[in-house]
PDB file of all heavy atoms in Angstrom:
ATOM      1  N   GLN A 243      14.020  19.861 -12.897  1.00 89.00           N
ATOM      2  CA  GLN A 243      15.175  19.178 -13.557  1.00 89.00           C
ATOM      3  C   GLN A 243      14.696  18.427 -14.800  1.00 89.00           C
ATOM      4  O   GLN A 243      15.409  18.387 -15.839  1.00 89.00           O
ATOM      5  CB  GLN A 243      15.852  18.240 -12.619  1.00 89.00           C
ATOM      6  CG  GLN A 243      17.097  17.591 -13.164  1.00 89.00           C
ATOM      7  CD  GLN A 243      17.794  16.701 -12.148  1.00 89.00           C
ATOM      8  OE1 GLN A 243      17.305  16.495 -11.056  1.00 89.00           O
ATOM      9  NE2 GLN A 243      18.931  16.118 -12.541  1.00 89.00           N
ATOM     10  N   GLN A 244      13.482  17.844 -14.754  1.00 86.00           N
ATOM     11  CA  GLN A 244      12.929  17.156 -15.899  1.00 86.00           C
ATOM     12  C   GLN A 244      12.769  18.084 -17.102  1.00 86.00           C
ATOM     13  O   GLN A 244      13.116  17.749 -18.255  1.00 86.00           O
ATOM     14  CB  GLN A 244      11.582  16.503 -15.552  1.00 86.00           C
ATOM     15  CG  GLN A 244      11.644  15.301 -14.660  1.00 86.00           C
ATOM     16  CD  GLN A 244      10.300  14.827 -14.220  1.00 86.00           C
ATOM     17  OE1 GLN A 244       9.377  15.566 -14.111  1.00 86.00           O
ATOM     18  NE2 GLN A 244      10.206  13.458 -13.982  1.00 86.00           N
ATOM     19  N   LYS A 245      12.286  19.296 -16.830  1.00 87.00           N
ATOM     20  CA  LYS A 245      12.059  20.256 -17.924  1.00 87.00           C
ATOM     21  C   LYS A 245      13.389  20.752 -18.449  1.00 87.00           C
ATOM     22  O   LYS A 245      13.525  20.966 -19.692  1.00 87.00           O
ATOM     23  CB  LYS A 245      11.237  21.414 -17.367  1.00 87.00           C
ATOM     24  CG  LYS A 245       9.785  21.054 -17.039  1.00 87.00           C
ATOM     25  CD  LYS A 245       9.037  22.270 -16.527  1.00 87.00           C
ATOM     26  CE  LYS A 245       7.578  21.871 -16.134  1.00 87.00           C
ATOM     27  NZ  LYS A 245       6.802  22.964 -15.568  1.00 87.00           N
ATOM     28  N   GLU A 246      14.415  20.919 -17.585  1.00 88.00           N
ATOM     29  CA  GLU A 246      15.685  21.443 -18.020  1.00 88.00           C
ATOM     30  C   GLU A 246      16.473  20.431 -18.799  1.00 88.00           C
ATOM     31  O   GLU A 246      17.183  20.763 -19.779  1.00 88.00           O
ATOM     32  CB  GLU A 246      16.458  21.942 -16.861  1.00 88.00           C
ATOM     33  CG  GLU A 246      15.909  23.184 -16.187  1.00 88.00           C
ATOM     34  CD  GLU A 246      16.697  23.618 -14.926  1.00 88.00           C
ATOM     35  OE1 GLU A 246      17.575  22.785 -14.479  1.00 88.00           O
ATOM     36  OE2 GLU A 246      16.505  24.736 -14.449  1.00 88.00           O
ATOM     37  N   THR A 247      16.393  19.215 -18.419  1.00 86.00           N
ATOM     38  CA  THR A 247      17.219  18.103 -19.060  1.00 86.00           C
ATOM     39  C   THR A 247      16.416  17.328 -20.116  1.00 86.00           C
ATOM     40  O   THR A 247      17.057  16.560 -20.832  1.00 86.00           O
ATOM     41  CB  THR A 247      17.769  17.177 -17.967  1.00 86.00           C
ATOM     42  OG1 THR A 247      16.631  16.507 -17.325  1.00 86.00           O
ATOM     43  CG2 THR A 247      18.605  17.882 -16.972  1.00 86.00           C
ATOM     44  N   HIS A 248      15.100  17.484 -20.080  1.00 83.00           N
ATOM     45  CA  HIS A 248      14.209  16.755 -21.002  1.00 83.00           C
ATOM     46  C   HIS A 248      14.343  15.264 -20.766  1.00 83.00           C
ATOM     47  O   HIS A 248      14.182  14.429 -21.667  1.00 83.00           O
ATOM     48  CB  HIS A 248      14.554  17.072 -22.482  1.00 83.00           C
ATOM     49  CG  HIS A 248      14.427  18.550 -22.837  1.00 83.00           C
ATOM     50  ND1 HIS A 248      13.220  19.187 -22.865  1.00 83.00           N
ATOM     51  CD2 HIS A 248      15.397  19.457 -23.065  1.00 83.00           C
ATOM     52  CE1 HIS A 248      13.423  20.451 -23.130  1.00 83.00           C
ATOM     53  NE2 HIS A 248      14.725  20.643 -23.282  1.00 83.00           N
ATOM     54  N   GLN A 249      14.588  14.876 -19.534  1.00 84.00           N
ATOM     55  CA  GLN A 249      14.679  13.489 -19.109  1.00 84.00           C
ATOM     56  C   GLN A 249      13.612  13.241 -18.097  1.00 84.00           C
ATOM     57  O   GLN A 249      13.503  13.992 -17.108  1.00 84.00           O
ATOM     58  CB  GLN A 249      16.082  13.113 -18.570  1.00 84.00           C
ATOM     59  CG  GLN A 249      17.181  13.229 -19.609  1.00 84.00           C
ATOM     60  CD  GLN A 249      18.512  12.868 -19.004  1.00 84.00           C
ATOM     61  OE1 GLN A 249      18.732  12.878 -17.800  1.00 84.00           O
ATOM     62  NE2 GLN A 249      19.475  12.520 -19.878  1.00 84.00           N
ATOM     63  N   ILE A 250      12.868  12.181 -18.272  1.00 84.00           N
ATOM     64  CA  ILE A 250      11.730  11.900 -17.352  1.00 84.00           C
ATOM     65  C   ILE A 250      12.267  11.476 -15.986  1.00 84.00           C
ATOM     66  O   ILE A 250      11.711  11.867 -14.946  1.00 84.00           O
ATOM     67  CB  ILE A 250      10.857  10.802 -17.936  1.00 84.00           C
ATOM     68  CG1 ILE A 250      10.206  11.265 -19.254  1.00 84.00           C
ATOM     69  CG2 ILE A 250       9.713  10.409 -16.967  1.00 84.00           C
ATOM     70  CD1 ILE A 250       9.385  10.251 -19.961  1.00 84.00           C
ATOM     71  N   TYR A 251      13.347  10.670 -15.990  1.00 87.00           N
ATOM     72  CA  TYR A 251      13.801  10.120 -14.730  1.00 87.00           C
ATOM     73  C   TYR A 251      15.154  10.679 -14.343  1.00 87.00           C
ATOM     74  O   TYR A 251      16.043  10.838 -15.162  1.00 87.00           O
ATOM     75  CB  TYR A 251      13.880   8.587 -14.807  1.00 87.00           C
ATOM     76  CG  TYR A 251      12.549   7.984 -15.163  1.00 87.00           C
ATOM     77  CD1 TYR A 251      12.269   7.526 -16.483  1.00 87.00           C
ATOM     78  CD2 TYR A 251      11.513   7.965 -14.233  1.00 87.00           C
ATOM     79  CE1 TYR A 251      11.062   7.005 -16.788  1.00 87.00           C
ATOM     80  CE2 TYR A 251      10.265   7.468 -14.566  1.00 87.00           C
ATOM     81  CZ  TYR A 251      10.034   6.976 -15.843  1.00 87.00           C
ATOM     82  OH  TYR A 251       8.809   6.475 -16.169  1.00 87.00           O
ATOM     83  N   ASN A 252      15.264  11.043 -13.062  1.00 88.00           N
ATOM     84  CA  ASN A 252      16.515  11.665 -12.584  1.00 88.00           C
ATOM     85  C   ASN A 252      16.712  11.260 -11.087  1.00 88.00           C
ATOM     86  O   ASN A 252      15.967  10.462 -10.573  1.00 88.00           O
ATOM     87  CB  ASN A 252      16.457  13.221 -12.746  1.00 88.00           C
ATOM     88  CG  ASN A 252      15.215  13.809 -12.115  1.00 88.00           C
ATOM     89  OD1 ASN A 252      14.852  13.521 -11.001  1.00 88.00           O
ATOM     90  ND2 ASN A 252      14.542  14.659 -12.877  1.00 88.00           N
ATOM     91  N   PHE A 253      17.691  11.845 -10.499  1.00 91.00           N
ATOM     92  CA  PHE A 253      18.039  11.496  -9.109  1.00 91.00           C
ATOM     93  C   PHE A 253      16.845  11.775  -8.185  1.00 91.00           C
ATOM     94  O   PHE A 253      16.631  10.971  -7.222  1.00 91.00           O
ATOM     95  CB  PHE A 253      19.233  12.396  -8.667  1.00 91.00           C
ATOM     96  CG  PHE A 253      19.693  12.044  -7.237  1.00 91.00           C
ATOM     97  CD1 PHE A 253      20.571  11.052  -7.009  1.00 91.00           C
ATOM     98  CD2 PHE A 253      19.172  12.763  -6.156  1.00 91.00           C
ATOM     99  CE1 PHE A 253      21.010  10.722  -5.674  1.00 91.00           C
ATOM    100  CE2 PHE A 253      19.569  12.486  -4.851  1.00 91.00           C
ATOM    101  CZ  PHE A 253      20.472  11.445  -4.617  1.00 91.00           C
ATOM    102  N   GLY A 254      16.079  12.782  -8.455  1.00 89.00           N
ATOM    103  CA  GLY A 254      14.966  13.104  -7.603  1.00 89.00           C
ATOM    104  C   GLY A 254      13.924  12.050  -7.514  1.00 89.00           C
ATOM    105  O   GLY A 254      13.648  11.532  -6.422  1.00 89.00           O
ATOM    106  N   ASN A 255      13.378  11.666  -8.649  1.00 88.00           N
ATOM    107  CA  ASN A 255      12.293  10.660  -8.602  1.00 88.00           C
ATOM    108  C   ASN A 255      12.815   9.197  -8.553  1.00 88.00           C
ATOM    109  O   ASN A 255      12.000   8.288  -8.288  1.00 88.00           O
ATOM    110  CB  ASN A 255      11.305  10.815  -9.781  1.00 88.00           C
ATOM    111  CG  ASN A 255      12.014  10.809 -11.145  1.00 88.00           C
ATOM    112  OD1 ASN A 255      13.090  10.272 -11.273  1.00 88.00           O
ATOM    113  ND2 ASN A 255      11.338  11.378 -12.136  1.00 88.00           N
ATOM    114  N   LEU A 256      14.082   8.967  -8.798  1.00 90.00           N
ATOM    115  CA  LEU A 256      14.589   7.595  -8.695  1.00 90.00           C
ATOM    116  C   LEU A 256      15.201   7.268  -7.343  1.00 90.00           C
ATOM    117  O   LEU A 256      15.216   6.123  -6.932  1.00 90.00           O
ATOM    118  CB  LEU A 256      15.638   7.321  -9.764  1.00 90.00           C
ATOM    119  CG  LEU A 256      15.142   7.332 -11.209  1.00 90.00           C
ATOM    120  CD1 LEU A 256      16.265   7.069 -12.177  1.00 90.00           C
ATOM    121  CD2 LEU A 256      14.036   6.284 -11.372  1.00 90.00           C
TER     122      LEU A 256
END
Side-chain angles (χ1 to χ4, degrees):
Q243 187 177 1
Q244 287 174 330
K245 292 178 181 178
E246 290 178 348
T247 62
H248 302 290
Q249 294 179 342
I250 298 176
Y251 302 105
N252 53 47
F253 182 86
N255 54 21
L256 292 181

